[in-house]
Amino acid sequence: MSAAELVGLVALFLTGVVLVIWCVEVFIEAVARSAVSLGISGFFLAVVLAGIDLENAILGVTAAFVDLPTLALGTVFGESLFVLAVAVGVAGLAVPFRMAVPRIYLLLLVLVPLPAFLLSIDGTLDWTDGALLTALFVPLLAGIFWRERRSETTFLLSGEVEEVVDLEADAETAGASGTTANADAGAEPNGGDRAPAPDRDPERAADRHARSDRDADLDLDLDLDEFVPDLEGKSGRFSLAVALLAIVGMTVGSGLTVVSAEGIFVALGISGLAFGATVLSFIASIEELALTVEPVRQGRAHLAVGNVVGSTVFYVTANVGVIALLRPVDTAGAVMTVHWPFLAACLLVVAGLFARGRVTRAGGAALLALYVGYWIANYA
């Protein structure tokens, strides 16, 4: 392959990734507006979409569909490592922070990869394994939503939905029928069946209203929000039509990405597993930096923690599960000697930092060092 052909493939690859990311942003805004107009809880959408990484899911499913399951599996490990090591590591270096993480989320972070690991030991993830892992995600997400709905502190909250939907107004509307008695009794606003407002307490509300002032100092905006069409005031049907068009765009973009990615890693003589775990996942995960670092910088470290927990749960259950449903995945060799050990190491370090209640610069540096080591191990 000539240098010009390789450059063309790289350009096509980057175009596909950007198209996927942009279409996901459009899809989320369109779905949020159309769903809420149909009476679906904005808070429900915010929690569910915070627990699902659509970019990774789309790229992984497309890679598996075109018979590149190792590339798809690489994105699962690569994006998991990026969120754990790079996003938390950069946040620790840039803005060391403290937070109290619920024990249930600490246990979830450490234990949720175990089913996928145990099913991988025999050397293959087949469709039955995929079905089990995908099914496992449903009760886990339901449990997270149940916990978030009754908690005074919201950990999982999609920033995209929060920008589109007035979650506080949505909570008030959803709980209007049962709030009078609770208010008279001095009940907490998150009690009963009422969906919680994420900024209910004064301190968090002040954080939200002062966000624009702080953003002027350092705006780590790594997504494509400014290029997303404004759907405010549009009908639910119009927003739904936009969501369908976004799905078409995601399909085209993921196809371009996967086909060009195969040409690149074949031309360079590297494995699809390594390419997916490093180059593809790194580029597709850049937005995770904003989803983790920005909340920390804004004094909302609980949202950064929620992003880490939610993403990890999704990657090692539904994401890898759907891939295995489409194509059997080889889990021998480097998967066991490189990818699982590095994932386990990062999980333990992050869980340790969260358990202590603070992420320090030393901890952030250790995580980034692990990520560098992960890249080296993939190409050693």
Side-chain angles (χ1 to χ4, degrees):
M1 179 180 293
S2 68
E5 290 175 323
L6 183 58
V7 170
L9 281 175
V10 171
L12 192 63
F13 171 76
L14 294 176
T15 300
V17 172
V18 171
L19 181 58
V20 168
I21 294 173
W22 180 72
C23 287
V24 165
E25 298 286 342
V26 174
F27 176 79
I28 290 175
E29 174 158 352
V31 166
R33 291 198 184 278
S34 61
V36 171
S37 71
L38 297 174
I40 298 175
S41 166
F43 181 76
F44 172 78
L45 283 175
V47 172
V48 170
L49 290 176
I52 299 177
D53 187 335
L54 289 176
E55 290 94 339
N56 183 270
I58 292 161
L59 292 172
V61 166
T62 303
F65 185 77
V66 299
D67 204 18
L68 292 172
T70 57
L71 177 68
L73 184 62
T75 65
V76 173
F77 282 106
E79 296 214 15
S80 299
L81 267 292
F82 189 95
V83 171
L84 291 166
V86 178
V88 178
V90 170
L93 282 177
V95 193
F97 60 97
R98 295 176 178 269
M99 74 282 131
V101 181
R103 288 185 179 179
I104 186 64
Y105 282 166
L106 289 173
L107 289 173
L108 193 60
L109 189 64
V110 173
L111 297 180
V112 75
L114 286 180
F117 173 74
L118 293 175
L119 292 172
S120 299
I121 291 177
D122 65 357
T124 304
L125 285 175
D126 58 22
W127 72 269
T128 57
D129 300 325
L132 287 172
L133 292 172
T134 304
L136 177 61
F137 177 69
V138 177
L140 287 175
L141 185 60
I144 289 173
F145 174 71
W146 183 87
R147 192 261 172 209
E148 291 291 297
R149 190 178 184 189
R150 287 157 177 76
S151 173
E152 293 183 6
T153 301
T154 302
F155 282 79
L156 268 79
L157 194 67
S158 168
E160 292 93 341
V161 176
E162 188 181 14
E163 291 173 1
V164 171
V165 181
D166 185 348
L167 295 180
E168 186 164 349
D170 174 72
E172 290 172 355
T173 301
S177 61
T179 55
T180 303
N182 286 342
D184 291 341
E188 291 296 325
N190 291 344
D193 294 331
R194 183 177 182 180
D199 293 332
R200 181 64 65 187
D201 65 82
E203 181 179 350
R204 289 170 63 193
D207 284 341
R208 184 176 182 181
H209 294 310
R211 193 182 308 171
S212 59
D213 294 335
R214 284 192 293 264
D215 286 349
D217 299 329
L218 173 63
D219 185 9
L220 191 64
D221 187 5
L222 299 174
D223 56 27
L224 302 175
D225 287 347
E226 60 269 30
F227 301 108
V228 173
D230 186 5
L231 300 178
E232 186 174 359
K234 303 296 184 182
S235 68
R237 289 184 177 180
F238 181 87
S239 296
L240 185 59
V242 172
L244 293 175
L245 288 175
I247 292 175
V248 174
M250 286 187 279
T251 303
V252 173
S254 60
L256 291 175
T257 301
V258 170
V259 170
S260 56
E262 182 181 18
I264 293 170
F265 68 70
V266 168
L268 296 179
I270 59 180
S271 71
L273 180 64
F275 186 86
T278 53
V279 179
L280 178 54
S281 60
F282 183 89
I283 295 173
S285 300
I286 290 296
E287 187 184 8
E288 296 296 332
L289 277 177
L291 296 177
T292 303
V293 178
E294 278 294 276
V296 170
R297 190 183 62 79
Q298 296 167 359
R300 309 171 81 196
H302 51 283
L303 295 183
V305 172
N307 180 59
V308 172
V309 174
S311 296
T312 302
V313 170
F314 174 73
Y315 291 145
V316 298
T317 56
N319 198 0
V320 69
V322 171
I323 291 169
L325 275 171
L326 293 173
R327 290 285 189 277
V329 183
D330 182 8
T331 56
V335 174
M336 284 297 179
T337 60
V338 174
H339 300 277
W340 275 116
F342 273 95
L343 179 60
C346 287
L347 279 169
L348 291 176
V349 173
V350 170
L353 294 171
F354 285 177
R356 292 174 59 196
R358 62 182 185 274
V359 175
T360 62
R361 286 193 170 90
L367 288 169
L368 290 174
L370 276 171
Y371 188 72
V372 172
Y374 180 63
W375 270 66
I376 294 173
N378 267 281
Y379 297 104

